[in-house]
Structure formats: C-alpha cells, structure tokens
C-alpha cells in the first residue's frame, strides 16, 4: 500500500512491542514519517538508525528518534511504553507503576497535540486506555486500546488449524478484558456465514489456549511482539484508510448490555475518526454475565487508581 502523503506516526515506548511495530509499519509502507520516543533515548536512536539502513531495500521513509514536540501534527500516536512485572511484584503494583509512567506521557502528548488518535498497547491495556482517555481530555473515539484484537486473532488461528482453513476466513470474537476474564462469543463463530459448532470441551480448550497464549510465549522467550505489532498495524490501517473495519478494540462502554464507564474489548467500527461506533453484538445470558464480571473487575481496578485521573 502506498502511504498517504504526509502521514506521521509517533511511537512512545520503543521496547520490543514499539520497535517491532515501527518495523512492521515501515515494511508495510503505512507512514511517510515514523518517530520513536523512549525514556531510553539510546534505544530509540539505535532502532531508528538500524531501520534507516533498510531504506535502500524498501525506499525512503523518515524514521527517527524524537521527543514529545514531535507529537505535533501526528496522525496516530501509539503508546507501548511501560515497566515489566518484576518478581514478587503484584499486578496492582505494576498497574500503579504504569499509571505513573502514563501520567508523564499523556501530559506531554497533549501539550503538543489535541488532534491525534491515541492507540494504546501497554498492559493492562483496558485500564491504561481508560486512563489515557480521562487524563488526555480527548473524545473517547480518538483513544483506542488494542483490546482483544490479538486474543481474537489467536482464537481465529487456533480454529483455522483445527478446521484446516485460512485463518482470515474464520470469524470469531473474543470480548472483554485483554486478560484472564476475557470470553469467546461462540454463537458468532462462523465460516462463510455458517455457524461453527464446538463441543463444550472444545470450547473450553480453545478458550484456555487463547487466554493463556501470552503466558506460554513469555515463558519461552520473555515477551510477545510479532502478532501485537500486526494487530496494531491492522488498527492503524483501518484508521488511515478510513476503512470502517470491524475490529475488537478497547473502547469506552456506554450501556453495552448494561455496562458503563469502563474500557473493554468489543467489536467496533474503526475509521478515520477512530472508533466510529460500538457494535452491540448479541450475547446469551451466560455471556452477558461473564462480560459483566469482566467489566466489574475493570471498574474495581479503575477505582484503585482514581486519585491519578
Ligand atoms: P519493553 O520493556 O521491551 O519496552 C518498554 C519500553 O518502554 C522500554 O523501551 C522503556 O525504556 C520504555 N519506557 C519506560 N518508561 C517510559 C517513559 N516514561 N517514557 C517513554 N518510554 C518509556 O516491553 P514490551 O515487551 O515492548 O511491552 C510493552 C508493553 O506492551 C507492556 O505493557 C506489555 O505488557 C504490552 N503488550 C501488550 C499487548 C497487547 O495485546 N495489548 C501485547 C504484548 C505486549
């Protein structure tokens, strides 16, 4: 795809996720200018230089390390900065640490632009997205979390392996928290509109394998970054090309099956405005109950960081 003229994407946090996303966007020609901002300036500088040496093979794109003033004029700002969980540290400790990091990041971004779309990947992504929305003062449609797009991809891949099909032809949805309380909407799983039936045991196994995929990858090699980079590229493309694609991103819920005032992954129409519309997909009673439990868990975590918003 040819990049639209003058498309600028800023990535805050050039760690494994941020730098892999930058490289993915570069290879796929999504932007004319990519700027990397990291607390570790050397890392961002090194990544930019390394990618500059790829230009003779793929053609010119501006890739450089920068600072927050570079957020001015950005179409999309991807935030993938954060601290990793340390041994003995609870998830709540990590959450508080990442909230501290995000206070600085979001305040710096809004100094230079109020017009970008903010795309959040840092975990816990639903909480960090809500925090970014509240702290930035941006409208909710322009603060998007990667949500359950990656989890949905993982489920589609697993089903495609079982059915020996192209994963792009498998339709399935994971909704809720990007984490332990997420759920699959089995009634919406289909191939070419034909409903796919799974036994309870199969459903259980597919859900477990989807939910626990990250743990397995982290155990094997420390972190996950290839598939999330493509998930972020997918969201970026839907925005820049004004696609109106349906993607399971994290967004603010307003009476979504009775759930309000949390960010969670649900099917959304994504276009140049960000999240144009949340799709109120049908859910059975069990799914509604589990989705509400996921929302309740998010609300409790948000209450614990209320003083920072
Ligand atoms: P990483 O440790 O490799 O990178 C984090 C980067 O953030 C580092 O380069 C660090 O220097 C930088 N950073 C820290 N504080 C900063 C600040 N104040 N300003 C600017 N930069 C700062 O971690 P990673 O593997 O790249 O993961 C990044 C985040 O993405 C984590 O929270 C991880 O859990 C999350 N993640 C999300 C998904 C998803 O589906 N949403 C998938 C994979 C990873």
């Amino acid at each position: 795809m040819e990049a639209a003229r003058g498309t600028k994407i800023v990535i805050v946090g050039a760690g494994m996720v941020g730098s892999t996303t930058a490289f993915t966007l570069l290879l796929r020609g999504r932007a004319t200018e990519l700027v990397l901002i990291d607390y570790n300036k050397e890392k961002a500088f090194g990544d930019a230089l390394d990618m500059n040496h790829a230009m003779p093979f793929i053609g010119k794109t501006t890739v450089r390390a920068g600072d927050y003033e570079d957020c001015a004029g950005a179409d999309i700002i991807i935030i993938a900065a954060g601290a990793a969980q340390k041994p003995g540290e609870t998830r709540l400790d990590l959450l508080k640490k990442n909230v501290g990091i995000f206070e600085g990041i979001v305040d710096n971004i809004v100094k230079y632009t109020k017009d970008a779309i903010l795309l959040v990947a840092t975990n816990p992504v639903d909480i960090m997205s809500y925090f970014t929305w509240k702290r930035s003062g941006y409208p909710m449609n322009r603060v998007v979390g990667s949500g359950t797009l990656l989890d949905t991809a993982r489920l589609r891949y697993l089903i495609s392996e079982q059915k020996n099909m192209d994963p792009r032809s498998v339709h399935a949805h994971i909704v809720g928290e990007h984490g332990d309380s997420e759920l699959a909407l089995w009634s919406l799983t289909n191939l070419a509109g034909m409903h796919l039936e799974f036994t309870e045991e199969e459903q259980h196994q597919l859900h477990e394998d989807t939910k626990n995929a990250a743990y397995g990858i982290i155990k094997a090699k420390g972190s996950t970054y290839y598939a999330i980079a493509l998930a972020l590229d997918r969201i970026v493309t839907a925005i820049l090309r004004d696609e109106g694609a349906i993607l399971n991103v994290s967004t603010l819920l307003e009476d979504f099956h009775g759930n309000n005032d949390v960010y969670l992954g649900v099917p959304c129409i994504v276009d140049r405005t960000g999240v144009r519309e949340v799709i109120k997909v049908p859910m059975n009673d069990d799914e509604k109950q589990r989705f509400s439990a996921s929302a309740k868990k998010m609300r409790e975590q948000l209450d614990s960081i209320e003083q920072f918003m």
Side-chain angles (χ1 to χ4, degrees), residues 12-18 37-40 43 68 80-84 98 101 105 120-125 146-147 150-151 154 178 223-225 228:
V12 182
M16 295 311 298
V17 171
I37 301 175
D38 199 290
Y39 170 75
N40 179 350
K43 170 74 167 79
Y68 287 98
N98 278 340
I101 289 173
I105 291 173
V120 180
T122 303
N123 278 320
V125 71
S146 59
L150 177 57
D151 318 71
R154 286 173 173 152
H178 168 59
S223 53
T224 80
Y225 37 90
I228 180 63

Side-chain angles (χ1 to χ4, degrees), residues 44 90-91 98 113 132 145 156 158 163 179 191 234 236 251 284:
T90 66
R91 282 193 172 192
N98 278 340
T113 180
T132 302
R156 290 172 66 194
L158 290 168
K163 304 287 177 197
L191 285 174
R234 184 70 196 89
V236 163
T251 193
N284 63 30

Side-chain angles (χ1 to χ4, degrees), residues 173-192:
H173 294 274
I174 296 281
V175 295
E177 176 198 12
H178 168 59
D180 295 341
S181 68
E182 69 188 26
L183 58 139
L185 298 180
W186 295 109
S187 57
L188 300 179
T189 309
N190 74 80
L191 285 174

Side-chain angles (χ1 to χ4, degrees), residues 18-262:
S19 59
T20 309
T21 302
F23 191 53
T24 303
L25 296 171
L26 175 69
L27 288 181
R28 303 193 118 195
R30 305 301 191 207
T32 47
E33 187 177 2
L34 285 167
V35 183
L36 305 177
I37 301 175
D38 199 290
Y39 170 75
N40 179 350
K41 288 191 187 316
E42 283 282 297
K43 170 74 167 79
F45 175 78
D47 276 328
L49 192 57
D50 195 2
M51 282 186 246
N52 279 324
H53 298 159
M55 300 312 165
F57 305 111
I58 56 172
K60 186 169 163 51
T61 300
T62 300
V63 183
R64 60 187 177 84
D67 219 323
Y68 287 98
E69 60 261 26
D70 292 299
C71 291
D75 295 278
I76 299 174
I77 300 170
I78 299 172
I79 314 179
Q85 199 163 359
K86 295 224 171 87
E89 200 173 46
T90 66
R91 282 193 172 192
L92 196 59
D93 292 336
L94 179 69
L95 170 61
K96 289 193 171 150
K97 205 187 273 182
N98 278 340
V99 164
I101 289 173
F102 264 53
E103 277 182 310
I105 291 173
V106 175
D107 292 357
N108 272 310
I109 290 172
V110 297
K111 257 190 241 166
Y112 295 102
T113 180
K114 296 205 166 48
D115 301 322
I117 290 180
L118 308 181
L119 174 53
V120 180
T122 303
N123 278 320
V125 71
D126 304 292
I127 303 288
M128 301 319 298
S129 304
Y130 183 97
F131 179 83
T132 302
W133 166 62
K134 268 274 158 131
R135 184 97 187 172
S136 65
Y138 271 47
M140 55 75 78
N141 60 298
R142 285 199 282 111
V143 180
V144 186
S146 59
T148 44
L149 188 59
L150 177 57
D151 318 71
T152 295
R154 286 173 173 152
L155 177 62
R156 290 172 66 194
Y157 165 74
L158 290 168
I159 295 172
S160 77
E161 284 289 286
Q162 202 184 84
K163 304 287 177 197
N164 193 21
M165 294 285 300
D166 184 329
R168 291 171 301 179
S169 301
V170 176
H171 297 281
H173 294 274
I174 296 281
V175 295
E177 176 198 12
H178 168 59
D180 295 341
S181 68
E182 69 188 26
L183 58 139
L185 298 180
W186 295 109
S187 57
L188 300 179
T189 309
N190 74 80
L191 285 174
M194 290 183 301
H195 178 60
L196 273 177
E197 282 294 343
F198 294 99
T199 63
E200 250 179 58
E201 202 178 312
E202 284 173 326
Q203 286 186 3
H204 176 74
Q205 198 55 49
L206 285 164
H207 181 244
E208 285 295 302
D209 290 349
T210 300
K211 185 165 60 93
N212 297 327
Y215 296 124
I217 299 168
I218 289 168
K219 185 160 174 271
K221 62 167 193 166
S223 53
T224 80
Y225 37 90
Y226 293 123
I228 180 63
L230 276 156
L232 294 169
D233 170 74
R234 184 70 196 89
I235 301 167
V236 163
T237 310
I239 294 167
L240 293 178
R241 299 182 74 174
D242 196 25
E243 283 183 357
I246 296 175
L247 302 172
N248 289 23
V249 292
S250 190
T251 193
L252 184 72
L253 300 186
E254 289 165 324
D255 193 21
F256 186 90
H257 295 286
N259 297 287
N260 292 289
D261 200 31
V262 287

Side-chain angles (χ1 to χ4, degrees), residues 253 259 262 264 290-300:
L253 300 186
N259 297 287
V262 287
L264 277 181
R290 291 172 62 196
F291 188 88
S292 294
S294 194
K296 185 163 174 273
K297 179 181 169 188
M298 290 303 99
R299 185 32 49 215
E300 282 165 6

